[in-house]
């Protein structure tokens, strides 16, 4: 048996403590590089390069392109927004075996592939809101990096996300596997750009706790 169990979030720590005892479990959280992920890296030139205007609201999917990351929910969310009259064109950062599936399922998407370093930070900060339907995250690095970049985050309401996000103030927690709920939340923010920006600012401030 291990002498010490390190958990990434309080909910996981509580689960492990219930199994193995409080004395064996501690938090070992994670941080975000504020030089890489910061609202100041937002680039209107980069948006223009990809065909976005200053006024477009750009949804982001950021992560490995595998179905277990919630790609089906993401695709249905965007399709629902489009059917409701919102002409959104998502930005997708990441790569994986489901890339071709997503391209077929969801046309008119900007695929940026795998990115890292400052290039990654500029791309994330140049989107407007993250849609993260993944329910498999132990900590939620993607949520934290998007928050640090000043994005409003719409995340599956799972333990890792609720540790980072104060619903309605620093992001939105959405019922898992409910594309309509994601679409409704995204539409609400698209219709209220001041609130969209306020969520992003609050999220970025919270991310400072995780440097």
């Amino acid at each position: 048996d291990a002498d010490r169990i390190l958990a990434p979030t309080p909910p996981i720590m509580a689960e492990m403590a219930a199994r193995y005892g409080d004395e064996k479990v501690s938090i070992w959280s994670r941080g975000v590089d504020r030089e890489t992920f910061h609202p100041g890296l937002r680039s209107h030139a980069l948006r223009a390069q990809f065909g976005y205007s200053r006024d477009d609201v750009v949804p982001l999917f950021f992560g490995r392109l595998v179905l277990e990351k919630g790609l089906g929910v993401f695709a249905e969310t965007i399709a629902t927004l489009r059917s409701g009259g919102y002409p959104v064109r998502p930005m997708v950062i990441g790569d994986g075996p489901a890339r071709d599936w997503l391209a077929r399922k969801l046309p008119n998407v900007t695929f940026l592939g795998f990115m890292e370093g400052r290039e990654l930070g500029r791309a994330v900060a140049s989107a407007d809101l993250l849609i993260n339907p993944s329910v498999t995250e132990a900590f939620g690095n993607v949520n934290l990096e998007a928050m640090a970049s000043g994005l409003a985050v719409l995340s599956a309401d799972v333990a890792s996300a609720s540790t980072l996000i104060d619903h309605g103030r620093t992001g939105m927690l959405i019922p898992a596997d409910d594309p309509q709920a994601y679409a409704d939340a995204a539409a609400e923010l698209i219709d209220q750009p001041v609130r969209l920006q306020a969520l992003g600012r609050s999220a970025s401030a919270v991310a400072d706790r995780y440097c």
Side-chain angles (χ1 to χ4, degrees), residues 61 63-72 94-99 101-102 134 136-137:
F61 183 92
R64 182 161 165 74
L65 300 187
V66 290
L67 293 179
E68 55 265 33
K69 292 293 186 180
L71 285 182
D95 209 344
R99 183 196 184 284
W101 178 90
L102 183 60
S134 175
T136 63
E137 310 303 317

Side-chain angles (χ1 to χ4, degrees), residues 115-144:
M115 308 176 83
E116 58 185 350
R118 197 168 183 84
E119 180 188 32
L120 171 61
R122 287 180 69 230
V124 173
S126 298
D128 295 294
L129 60 92
L130 175 75
I131 298 176
N132 181 14
S134 175
V135 297
T136 63
E137 310 303 317
F139 177 76
N141 284 356
V142 165
N143 283 344
L144 182 58

Side-chain angles (χ1 to χ4, degrees), residues 105-198:
K105 182 82 171 177
L106 193 62
N108 197 19
V109 171
T110 301
F111 286 96
L112 301 183
F114 176 77
M115 308 176 83
E116 58 185 350
R118 197 168 183 84
E119 180 188 32
L120 171 61
R122 287 180 69 230
V124 173
S126 298
D128 295 294
L129 60 92
L130 175 75
I131 298 176
N132 181 14
S134 175
V135 297
T136 63
E137 310 303 317
F139 177 76
N141 284 356
V142 165
N143 283 344
L144 182 58
E145 290 165 354
M147 291 168 68
S149 301
L151 273 60
V153 173
L154 278 58
S155 175
D157 188 3
V158 293
S160 58
S162 62
T163 298
L164 295 172
I165 295 170
D166 179 1
H167 178 70
R169 191 179 73 83
T170 61
M172 306 287 283
L173 297 170
I174 311 297
D177 301 322
D178 190 344
Q180 186 65 57
Y182 281 98
D184 289 345
E188 183 179 328
L189 294 178
I190 293 170
D191 289 337
Q192 300 179 56
V194 172
R195 187 175 179 218
L196 174 69
Q197 293 169 12

